[in-house]
Amino acid sequence: MSEVRLNHITGDWVIISTERAKRPEEFAVKKERKEIPVHVASCPFCPGNEDMTPDETFRLTGLDGKWSVRSVPNKYSALTLEGDVRKEKIDFKQVVSGVGRHEVIIETPEHNMTTALLPTDHIKQILTVYRERLVAFYEDPRVEHVIIFKNHGAEAGTSLEHPHSQIVGTPVFPGQVMKRLEEAIRNYYYVNFGECLYCTYILGEMNEKVRIVSENESFVAFIPYAAHSPFHAWIFPKRHGACYGCITDEEITGLAGILKDVLLRIYVGLENPDFNYVVRSLSTTESDSKYFHWYISVIPRITQTAGFELGTGMYINTALPEESARFLREVSF
Ligand SMILES: [Zn+2]
Ligand SMILES: [Zn+2]
């Protein structure tokens, strides 16, 4: 029988549809992949074309002295960099001036690379740039919230092949994040008697073990009990902390290892599907928050949401989280 499971973190109901369930291997994306070259002369993110992007904001270099990861303002920024935040309320209309920050993080000089195949040391550099830019974005008093995300492939919302992620600082606090925060606060004060909802949830998943995908000293990755979609995975730091900006260098090493491991299991097991990942974090000034816990969601784009999800805010997942986790655990490479 199908089950309707509550996702404690998001507050959403998810139908785990065993009626429609497929075996994990049936989710593998069998599509023809064209050969991609290591360098493309017209690509603005390839080495040699640095003048095709706006002025760099940060870079890390490799052993050869050349850049290995760099961040640049997004040429097609969703928000305007210059200007003050103005808020207006006229009748029913509320409007905030569209100022903020939007940068692209170019993850590697190699055009045809993918995160799962990068050396762990290189992924550490990418995660270090995330930290540096997140902290810098929050120094801008106009920024209310910062989100870091990666779109990989057309199904995930990008047509640009060159490996990159994006960071956006918005002048308003997003509704979805507010909802999760409210859920966390309600649990902290009224349900868990002063314990972080996330900390208790992570311990629960670690005790049950059946949905764990990967684990190391400082991080754990699992398919949540009420995963919104097939193979939707969460990576949590074991140490409580509300802001990604407070991650230590040592923890970045652990995160790079587990992120690579999870992405490689997805890459091999599901045959390189398109995916998104998102870093969910509060601001640097809220880093001591007792009730929020930063984490990364990895979302392979192998099914589509449709009218049911739009109309209810509920989800239908056609993969049993326990089976998805076992499948990813057993991937060999
Ligand atoms: Zn390129
Ligand atoms: Zn916590």
Side-chain angles (χ1 to χ4, degrees), residues 247-261:
I247 191 171
T248 64
D249 288 343
E250 205 182 337
E251 286 168 334
I252 282 186
T253 304
L255 181 58
I258 203 164
L259 181 62
K260 179 183 168 77
D261 189 63

Side-chain angles (χ1 to χ4, degrees), residues 43 45-46 111 162:
C43 171
F45 299 162
C46 270
H111 186 89
H162 198 114

Side-chain angles (χ1 to χ4, degrees), residues 24-279:
E25 55 274 18
E26 289 181 283
F27 287 98
V29 186
K30 306 258 189 270
K31 63 177 166 190
E32 216 149 284
R33 299 264 172 190
K34 64 179 168 92
E35 204 59 33
I36 304 173
V38 67
H39 187 274
V40 172
S42 60
C43 171
F45 299 162
C46 270
N49 292 340
E50 287 78 4
D51 57 359
M52 287 168 73
T53 58
D55 289 347
E56 193 171 284
T57 52
F58 191 78
R59 77 155 62 183
L60 290 176
T61 51
L63 294 172
D64 57 4
K66 295 176 181 163
W67 68 264
S68 50
V69 185
R70 60 195 289 263
S71 61
V72 297
N74 191 325
K75 209 170 179 177
Y76 308 100
S77 175
L79 295 159
T80 310
L81 182 59
E82 306 297 336
D84 298 323
V85 178
R86 286 188 319 278
K87 298 180 181 180
E88 278 184 280
K89 188 170 181 293
I90 309 152
D91 302 328
F92 71 94
K93 293 173 286 188
Q94 293 184 34
V95 63
V96 177
S97 47
V99 295
R101 292 177 174 264
H102 189 170
E103 292 183 4
V104 176
I105 294 157
I106 305 164
E107 297 169 4
T108 161
E110 290 180 70
H111 186 89
N112 59 356
M113 188 40 85
T114 190
T115 321
L117 304 180
L118 278 169
T120 309
D121 276 348
H122 195 105
I123 299 175
K124 272 167 66 177
Q125 288 196 312
I126 296 169
L127 297 172
T128 303
V129 175
Y130 286 178
R131 181 182 62 189
E132 298 305 315
R133 297 319 294 153
L134 180 126
V135 169
F137 272 37
Y138 273 122
E139 278 166 9
D140 184 332
R142 303 168 309 162
V143 167
E144 285 286 332
H145 188 73
V146 175
I147 192 85
I148 299 170
F149 60 94
K150 178 175 172 71
N151 305 333
H152 170 78
E155 298 291 329
T158 186
S159 51
L160 260 174
E161 277 172 353
H162 198 114
H164 66 285
S165 21
Q166 296 181 59
I167 176 166
V168 181
T170 57
V172 293
F173 198 84
Q176 189 209 61
V177 184
M178 183 65 86
K179 187 181 160 212
R180 288 184 194 193
L181 203 52
E182 285 168 356
E183 196 64 21
I185 293 169
R186 193 178 65 81
N187 270 274
Y188 182 82
Y189 286 107
Y190 304 113
V191 182
N192 279 347
F193 303 100
E195 283 173 12
C196 165
L197 166 68
Y198 298 77
C199 281
T200 46
Y201 177 58
I202 298 160
L203 278 180
E205 289 286 6
M206 284 169 64
N207 285 337
E208 283 204 17
K209 294 189 174 69
V210 287
R211 285 171 296 275
I212 303 290
V213 173
S214 186
E215 188 179 350
N216 62 29
E217 204 185 326
S218 42
F219 288 87
V220 59
F222 53 83
I223 309 288
Y225 170 71
H228 285 186
S229 57
F231 300 93
H232 188 135
W234 283 350
I235 301 174
F236 272 96
K238 292 181 184 172
R239 177 172 76 87
H240 178 84
C243 177
Y244 179 77
C246 293
I247 191 171
T248 64
D249 288 343
E250 205 182 337
E251 286 168 334
I252 282 186
T253 304
L255 181 58
I258 203 164
L259 181 62
K260 179 183 168 77
D261 189 63
V262 169
L263 292 176
L264 193 54
R265 287 173 191 283
I266 290 170
Y267 178 88
V268 174
L270 301 174
E271 301 190 24
N272 188 16
D274 294 348
F275 69 88
N276 300 99
Y277 67 65
V278 178
V279 181

Side-chain angles (χ1 to χ4, degrees), residues 304-316:
Q304 282 184 327
T305 52
F308 178 77
E309 286 82 359
L310 286 173
T312 58
M314 288 171 66
Y315 294 84
I316 299 174

